[in-house]
Amino acid sequence: MAADDIGQLADALSRTHVGDGELSYQGRGLKLDHAESVAGLVTEIAQYQGLRALRLEGNTIGVEAAQAIAKALEDKDELQKCHWSDMFTGRLRAEIPTALRSLGSAITRAGARLSELDLSDNAFGPDGVKGIEQLLMSPSCHSLKVLRLNNCGMGIGGGKILAEALTECHRRSSALGAPLSLRVFIAGRNRLENEGASALAKAFKLLGSLEEVHVPQNGINHPGIRALASAMQQNPHLRVLNLNDNTFTKRGALAMAQALRHLKNIQVINFGDCLVRTEGAVALSAVLREGLPVLKELNLSFGEITEPAALLLAQAVLNKPLMEKVDLNGNCFGEEGCEALREAMEVMDRADMLASLSDDEGEPDDEDDNEDDDDDNETDEDDNETFEDEEKENLDEEEEHSKENGVNCNGNSPSSKLQSPTEIASYLCSPPSEKDLEDKTASLEHQVDADDPERAADVLLKISASYKEEAESGEALLEAVDAVLKTMLSASLLQSTCFLSTLLVHMGLLKGEGKVKRVPVVSAQLSCLTHAVQQPYFQQHHALLLHTVLCRNGKALKSCSSALEGLQDALKRRCSTDH
């Protein structure tokens, strides 16, 4: 044998045995069809004492070859890691489940205890999941920590099968006193959609051990996102959450914001290309402001977020000492908005963490609102057909609390029978007796609820529109404004922020989602807000939110310039005062 050939063989062998109990045939591009084609591999497996990791990715393995490899694995009880991604290129889909069953059965018979299983990039569909179903439920996977199934084309059916297998594995392992504690789950590009994601969410909620979840590009809309959000809340050790290229919209974003309040260990959030939109981004800014102490990376790129929400996010990351990167590229800031955001980060000495804004989409047009309406209507119709029962089961705790403890209209006062905000405003403006003033104001506590910001915003705008300082009802209306705002702003930071965001959308100062009934703003409403800003219940962070939005979009209120100036002055004073 020539010296060159000997050198090549030695090099190949050194790459095969890479140490730490690992046997690697990674990236060889071998076409292994039958037992003869894997004879060398089988021999190496059989002779490898203490085999702990087997790398077969980047080759293509047929049924007979898989069965031969499986035979060699039957006594490898120390095997822990199976790196088997991209292992069936060019194979018929019908072959793959059989090959997987053979390999899985061998691992089970050996009594191995796996810690990592990687079958990514195998495009095996739901049938492929059936091929690993028995393995996943077996004692060999009771110890599983990492499961990688990226780009496997599982679809809804495969997602449901996988969820059932993980649930059963948890049940069986728990019965033995050592419940499955999966830490890393990766399943991007699998067309899971809402049903598959919701099924997996139930399993995730049961596990409670996840530290990394990656399910990007799966066609998941807000019902599936809400189910995942509810599940993430039950996994307090979560460090990485990657839902890139799914579709949150407002409802999904708010549910995810609520979940993030409970996740103190999260370091990386990737909601890029998820249509978080402006109201969702404002909600996330509230969560950033009060929590997420160890966050390092935040990706909200390509989310149809407008400039005011981006500035609020920038302010919120100021107190994050570990923050390394904020990606807001591809949103709707416009040139002036991008410059304002860069300047805000520079002023806070955080310019280095802001990712490029080179793909900004420019400021949104009014026509975009109509497109949002169409998209939301289509989504809602699909959701109603597919998820009528699923939604009832997967309502998160926040929503269940809202349904059970919604607006309390029970009581003895006349207002207990009032239904619409218009009726409430009319009732308050009616000629009052001295005692009636207190009764009317107190009754508002039963007309608004922190879990219903839409109604509260509508009530507030209708009440304040009737305000006249010199009128007999002026005092009563200001007390009513105080009652509404005290209730709404005394709730959690997330709830109070969502209320103010909703209020600003109704006033036409913030871009909303779907069909929004905008109220023509009059000076009386701004005068009431000026009064409210000076009250103890109106905290500095509330004033900062309003001030930020008015500074960027205040031109929409040019017809009320005098009242707007008074409000802005009051906000500046509040923002500059420490409380």
Side-chain angles (χ1 to χ4, degrees):
M1 183 179 289
D4 288 346
D5 293 336
I6 293 173
Q8 290 175 3
L9 179 59
D11 181 59
L13 288 173
S14 68
R15 284 187 283 109
T16 299
H17 294 267
V18 297
D20 196 27
E22 180 177 295
L23 177 61
S24 177
Y25 271 64
Q26 180 182 9
R28 302 285 187 87
L30 302 174
K31 191 171 187 295
L32 307 173
D33 296 323
H34 41 68
E36 291 80 5
S37 65
V38 293
L41 170 59
V42 167
T43 299
E44 286 199 76
I45 292 173
Q47 295 177 350
Y48 201 120
Q49 299 300 312
L51 179 65
R52 289 190 290 275
L54 179 60
R55 308 196 76 106
L56 298 176
E57 63 265 54
N59 300 289
T60 176
I61 299 176
V63 173
E64 289 185 22
Q67 290 171 340
I69 294 169
K71 187 68 176 175
L73 289 173
E74 287 183 351
D75 64 351
K76 299 301 174 183
D77 59 351
E78 295 182 52
L79 184 65
Q80 297 173 10
K81 299 181 180 181
C82 297
H83 301 284
W84 294 348
S85 64
D86 189 21
M87 202 171 70
F88 297 109
T89 301
R91 299 294 171 182
L92 296 175
R93 181 168 288 190
E95 295 180 73
I96 300 174
T98 303
L100 289 172
R101 285 191 189 95
S102 297
L103 293 166
S105 295
I107 292 170
T108 303
R109 283 196 292 272
R113 293 292 183 268
L114 297 184
S115 63
E116 184 169 349
L117 177 61
D118 185 356
L119 288 166
S120 299
D121 301 316
N122 278 312
F124 47 48
D127 290 339
V129 185
K130 291 179 182 177
I132 59 171
E133 185 179 14
Q134 292 303 315
L135 172 62
L136 288 174
M137 293 189 293
S138 74
S140 290
C141 282
H142 288 183
S143 53
L144 197 64
K145 303 299 180 188
V146 179
L147 179 58
R148 304 177 191 270
L149 294 169
N150 202 57
N151 191 31
C152 288
M154 290 190 289
I156 294 171
K160 289 181 175 181
I161 296 168
L162 177 60
E164 290 172 2
L166 291 174
T167 300
E168 181 61 16
C169 181
H170 185 270
R171 187 191 68 79
R172 294 181 184 182
S173 57
S174 296
L176 296 174
L180 171 66
S181 57
L182 189 68
R183 294 175 185 168
V184 178
F185 179 86
I186 300 175
R189 300 183 65 188
N190 270 294
R191 303 194 305 275
L192 293 172
E193 301 182 13
N194 291 330
E195 291 184 71
S198 296
L200 284 167
K202 292 179 181 177
F204 295 162
K205 188 179 290 189
L206 188 66
L207 293 174
S209 58
L210 291 168
E211 297 179 9
E212 292 188 29
V213 174
H214 303 259
V215 285
Q217 202 173 344
N218 267 293
I220 308 170
N221 297 324
H222 74 83
I225 295 297
R226 289 162 67 193
L228 287 171
S230 181
M232 294 305 101
Q233 257 180 251
Q234 306 304 317
N235 287 266
H237 303 295
L238 193 69
R239 294 183 294 105
V240 179
L241 181 57
N242 177 6
L243 296 172
N244 190 283
D245 199 8
N246 290 292
T247 306
F248 281 35
T249 61
K250 177 182 175 180
R251 281 171 282 189
L254 296 185
M256 198 56 70
Q258 172 62 27
L260 289 172
R261 294 181 66 208
H262 301 269
L263 302 176
K264 307 302 182 186
N265 297 301
I266 199 153
Q267 298 176 14
V268 178
I269 297 173
N270 187 344
F271 296 163
D273 204 10
C274 282
L275 284 187
V276 168
R277 291 182 170 154
T278 297
E279 290 179 272
V282 172
L284 290 171
S285 76
V287 178
L288 274 167
R289 185 177 291 277
E290 71 171 348
L292 309 183
V294 296
L295 189 65
K296 294 180 178 180
E297 294 183 23
L298 175 65
N299 185 346
L300 294 176
S301 59
F302 299 93
E304 294 188 2
I305 299 168
T306 54
E307 178 196 350
L311 292 173
L312 291 169
L313 287 166
Q315 294 162 6
V317 301
L318 180 61
N319 66 341
K320 296 290 173 285
L322 302 180
M323 184 69 80
E324 298 172 358
K325 183 179 180 181
V326 178
D327 190 348
L328 295 171
N329 195 21
N331 283 296
C332 306
F333 307 152
E335 290 184 18
E336 291 184 8
C338 288
E339 187 58 32
L341 180 57
R342 291 191 191 97
E343 288 178 3
M345 297 296 282
E346 286 174 7
V347 167
M348 296 183 290
D349 197 26
R350 294 297 185 94
D352 57 331
M353 74 168 60
L354 183 64
S356 168
L357 299 174
S358 59
D359 295 318
D360 186 74
E361 297 285 344
E363 294 185 70
D365 299 324
D366 291 339
E367 294 177 0
D368 293 342
D369 292 337
N370 295 329
E371 292 176 6
D372 290 349
D373 294 347
D374 295 339
D375 292 343
D376 293 338
N377 288 340
E378 288 176 8
T379 302
D380 288 344
E381 288 174 8
D382 293 340
D383 294 340
N384 288 338
E385 290 175 7
T386 310
F387 274 91
E388 191 171 342
D389 295 328
E390 192 95 35
E391 280 279 74
K392 291 177 183 177
E393 295 179 15
N394 290 315
L395 281 172
D396 59 54
E397 293 176 7
E398 185 85 8
E399 292 171 318
E400 287 175 354
H401 175 79
S402 174
K403 286 185 177 295
E404 292 170 3
N405 303 285
V407 179
N408 179 11
C409 293
N410 297 321
N412 298 320
S413 69
S415 64
S416 65
K417 298 179 180 178
L418 299 177
Q419 296 298 321
S420 72
T422 302
E423 289 178 302
I424 294 171
S426 176
Y427 167 64
L428 286 165
C429 291
S430 61
S433 65
E434 198 166 310
K435 178 182 181 302
D436 210 21
L437 276 174
E438 293 183 9
D439 292 341
K440 289 182 175 184
T441 302
S443 71
L444 276 174
E445 295 178 5
H446 304 297
Q447 296 292 336
V448 296
D449 188 275
D451 290 321
D452 192 353
E454 293 283 343
R455 176 178 172 82
D458 202 9
V459 167
L460 181 67
L461 288 172
K462 284 188 168 64
I463 291 172
S464 57
S466 305
Y467 172 70
K468 291 180 183 177
E469 186 176 1
E470 68 280 2
E472 190 177 3
S473 61
E475 182 183 348
L477 287 171
L478 283 182
E479 290 183 5
V481 166
D482 288 337
V484 172
L485 285 173
K486 188 174 182 180
T487 297
M488 300 307 292
L489 300 184
S490 298
S492 70
L493 180 57
L494 176 58
Q495 287 176 311
S496 61
T497 298
C498 288
F499 163 71
L500 288 175
S501 172
T502 302
L503 179 66
L504 291 165
V505 168
H506 281 267
M507 294 173 71
L509 296 172
L510 206 59
K511 181 174 171 57
E513 178 180 279
K515 294 181 179 179
V516 178
K517 186 179 179 182
R518 292 178 179 171
V519 177
V521 177
V522 295
S523 295
Q525 293 161 326
L526 301 185
S527 297
C528 288
L529 283 176
T530 302
H531 160 81
V533 167
Q534 301 172 67
Q535 305 310 308
Y537 60 74
F538 211 102
Q539 299 297 310
Q540 190 178 40
H541 51 263
H542 298 138
L544 187 60
L545 191 162
L546 257 63
H547 182 59
T548 300
V549 175
L550 284 174
C551 282
R552 308 313 303 177
N553 293 340
K555 57 184 180 291
L557 302 178
K558 58 185 178 182
S559 62
C560 310
S561 56
S562 178
L564 175 61
E565 185 177 341
L567 175 57
Q568 288 179 319
D569 287 343
L571 287 168
K572 286 179 185 177
R573 290 194 298 272
R574 197 62 160 174
C575 289
S576 62
T577 305
D578 291 325
H579 291 280

